Amino acid sequence: MIRMGNRSRIRIIRMRKVPFIDSTGIHNLTNLCKRSKKEKTTIILSGVNENVYQVLENSGFCEVVGKENICPHINAALERANLILREENI
């Protein structure tokens, strides 16, 4: 996590060991994303497999977190985090 003061600017949630997600998981992720937006923290999901991604997309969750913040692996998530930080410092 990258911290500014006492708050994290970016939070990466690793989901590589998540084989499926149900409505409760989507609800919890949605609440986390909404709280994080209020705190000006960006959520990035990493290691999202194709099945989980399809469920997230069908539920509308991708619009909450932003498709660009759902990454297939940790390296892509770290690259996304670095891009966000660079854009903020421009």
Side-chain angles (χ1 to χ4, degrees):
M1 288 188 291
I2 299 164
R3 293 186 178 266
M4 296 193 66
N6 291 334
R7 291 197 180 135
S8 300
R9 267 304 295 127
I10 297 172
R11 183 173 293 136
I12 297 175
I13 299 173
R14 298 185 76 183
M15 297 185 63
R16 65 187 172 138
K17 293 185 179 182
V18 177
F20 63 90
I21 191 163
D22 62 8
S23 60
T24 301
I26 293 168
H27 176 76
N28 290 336
L29 278 176
T30 300
N31 286 339
L32 174 66
C33 288
K34 289 179 179 179
R35 268 194 332 265
S36 295
K37 281 184 183 181
K38 289 178 185 176
E39 297 170 356
K40 298 183 181 172
T41 299
T42 301
I43 298 293
I44 300 173
L45 304 181
S46 80
V48 177
N49 71 41
E50 189 61 35
N51 291 332
V52 171
Y53 182 83
Q54 287 302 314
V55 174
L56 294 175
E57 187 171 47
N58 291 340
S59 72
F61 175 80
C62 292
E63 303 306 317
V64 174
V65 74
K67 287 184 180 185
E68 67 278 4
N69 293 325
I70 301 176
C71 303
H73 52 79
I74 190 63
N75 291 333
L78 292 171
E79 288 175 19
R80 176 69 184 141
N82 284 324
L83 176 65
I84 291 168
L85 292 174
R86 282 194 305 270
E87 289 175 352
E88 288 179 353
N89 290 325
I90 291 177

